[in-house]
Amino acid sequence: MLDETDLALVDALQISPRASWTKLSTVLGLAPITLARRWQRLVDSGAAWVSVAHSDASARGAIIELTCAPGTEMAVATRLAKLPYVSTVGITSGEYHVFANIVAPTLAATTNVLLNGLPLPPHVTRMRSHVFGSLFGGMVWRLGVMNSSQTAKIREAIGPPPQEIRPFSALDRALFLALSRDGRRTFTDLAEELGTMPKAVQRRLNRLQRNGDIAFRCDVARALAGWHTMALLWLTVPDTDLRAVGHRVAGWPETRMCAAVASPTNLALIVNLRSFEHLEEVLIRIARAFPGVSVTERRLVLRQVKIYGRVVDEDGRCIEVIPADPWSALPEVKAD
């Protein structure tokens, strides 16, 4: 388990992932150099990291579920984790043994992956897919260690969701992918890789954030923070209530993904859990808060294999970085 200082540091970076150590030191009460060293230790051990993703509003993709021959679940999950347009992979209980999240810039790119792009091994016997157009929430989450006063001192102003999805330019894509490996890279470091000037990188990054195109996320090896398992829930919600229910559930502290999907069960929900009993608490909360909503299917995530671009071990520590690259789902990119 991480100690209280490490948990507070991770929570602070979940509030403002690119905040300076100087700014964080005034809230956490430690010297900037101490915070920098602690963070580097967490990164080097695979316990925490900062990356970048499409924002909830601009996210596109699908959740796929696979049934595998007995004993092949890990092999299938590992193979999927190698694909850059597969952001997250887990092994689950139930009739479908592996789930994966596909990220793509457009519905057409998602379709391309589902029809042409998934190199599934022969021991996958069945697949079903659930396409989503955006997320109600979950892309950015928090441990919730900091109090409201500390949170207010760190939190940066966030603009409203974009009115329309803006296409990324080639330089936008390059910047996104450069930040996928380390979301706290300096403007100078990024400029050197991209062959431009630090001020130009800063302006471009500020525009992407201001427009609501991207979101920085700070992740942690979840078992080390007390989140020992996960569950994948499929909910059936009356269409007239879908958005209201989705937005409300997305704000729950357990929620890691909440999306409307094109499926008979029209709301997908992935939640972190502290124990098996915690799942029962979540299910009771859903039943009491939304009497017209039914939980059609529920699956425990027995093993996380990849978490938004990070391949992880049994404790959730990062052991390999395979950045989530939505544009690799495009036919012209895959053909190169």
Side-chain angles (χ1 to χ4, degrees):
M1 296 289 291
L2 302 181
D3 64 29
E4 291 183 4
T5 302
D6 285 339
L7 292 173
L9 175 56
V10 170
D11 194 35
L13 287 172
Q14 289 179 322
I15 298 167
S16 182
R18 287 183 59 84
S20 69
W21 301 126
T22 300
K23 181 177 181 179
L24 295 180
S25 70
T26 62
V27 176
L28 297 176
L30 293 173
I33 187 63
T34 301
L35 293 176
R37 286 172 177 167
R38 272 187 171 265
W39 176 249
Q40 193 58 51
R41 176 177 56 78
L42 291 173
V43 171
D44 290 344
S45 68
W49 56 90
V50 171
S51 59
V52 70
H54 277 119
S55 65
D56 288 334
S58 59
R60 299 288 182 271
I63 302 171
I64 63 169
E65 295 185 284
L66 307 173
T67 300
C68 311
T72 65
E73 297 89 350
M74 192 63 191
V76 172
T78 301
R79 184 166 179 174
L80 285 173
K82 297 292 184 183
L83 302 174
Y85 50 79
V86 173
S87 63
T88 300
V89 183
I91 298 173
T92 63
S93 62
E95 61 179 319
Y96 291 95
H97 308 124
V98 175
F99 87 93
N101 290 352
I102 293 169
V103 290
T106 62
L107 175 60
T110 303
T111 301
N112 176 67
V113 170
L114 295 178
L115 296 182
N116 307 307
L118 281 170
L120 298 177
H123 30 266
V124 172
T125 59
R126 181 170 46 163
M127 182 185 93
R128 71 175 184 177
S129 60
H130 315 262
V131 175
F132 59 84
S134 63
L135 303 180
F136 291 119
M139 185 62 71
V140 177
W141 63 284
R142 284 190 55 199
L143 292 175
V145 175
M146 311 283 285
N147 62 41
S148 57
S149 175
Q150 292 171 312
T151 298
K153 293 177 182 178
I154 300 172
R155 190 180 300 280
E156 298 176 352
I158 300 176
Q163 296 298 313
E164 59 181 351
I165 305 303
R166 303 166 181 83
F168 275 53
S169 70
L171 284 176
D172 291 336
R173 296 182 188 182
L175 178 57
F176 182 99
L177 295 176
L179 287 165
S180 294
R181 290 190 172 274
D182 179 3
R184 288 186 58 84
R185 293 177 67 178
T186 65
F187 296 129
T188 300
D189 186 26
L190 292 166
E192 183 176 346
E193 177 176 330
L194 301 178
T196 185
M197 301 297 292
K199 282 293 184 183
V201 172
Q202 184 176 9
R203 286 193 299 270
R204 186 172 294 275
L205 183 55
N206 288 343
R207 176 180 57 79
L208 290 171
Q209 289 184 277
R210 186 175 60 251
N211 290 347
D213 296 321
I214 63 172
F216 286 98
R217 50 183 286 156
C218 177
D219 271 301
V220 64
R222 298 177 189 182
L224 303 182
W227 299 99
H228 296 293
T229 188
M230 297 175 67
L232 174 58
L233 306 177
W234 295 103
L235 280 61
T236 301
V237 184
D239 291 333
T240 53
D241 300 332
L242 182 60
R243 296 191 65 81
V245 172
H247 283 299
R248 187 171 169 186
V249 173
W252 290 357
E254 297 91 348
T255 300
R256 297 297 166 262
M257 179 181 181
C258 183
V261 293
S263 174
T265 52
N266 55 354
L267 187 68
L269 179 62
I270 300 176
V271 292
N272 267 1
L273 302 170
R274 297 195 180 278
S275 64
F276 182 81
E277 291 72 22
H278 193 173
L279 174 59
E280 183 180 359
E281 295 175 21
V282 171
L283 294 172
I284 291 173
R285 195 187 315 160
I286 292 171
R288 289 176 174 170
F290 314 110
V293 173
S294 61
V295 179
T296 309
E297 297 181 55
R298 64 200 74 180
R299 275 187 266 290
L300 277 180
V301 179
L302 306 175
R303 170 78 153 81
Q304 298 176 60
V305 177
K306 187 179 185 182
I307 300 174
Y308 211 89
R310 262 63 179 179
V311 179
V312 298
D313 64 13
E314 292 183 358
D315 292 324
R317 292 180 183 270
C318 173
I319 56 175
E320 184 180 1
V321 181
I322 304 177
D325 178 2
W327 298 280
S328 64
L330 294 166
E332 61 268 27
V333 175
K334 285 179 63 60
D336 289 343

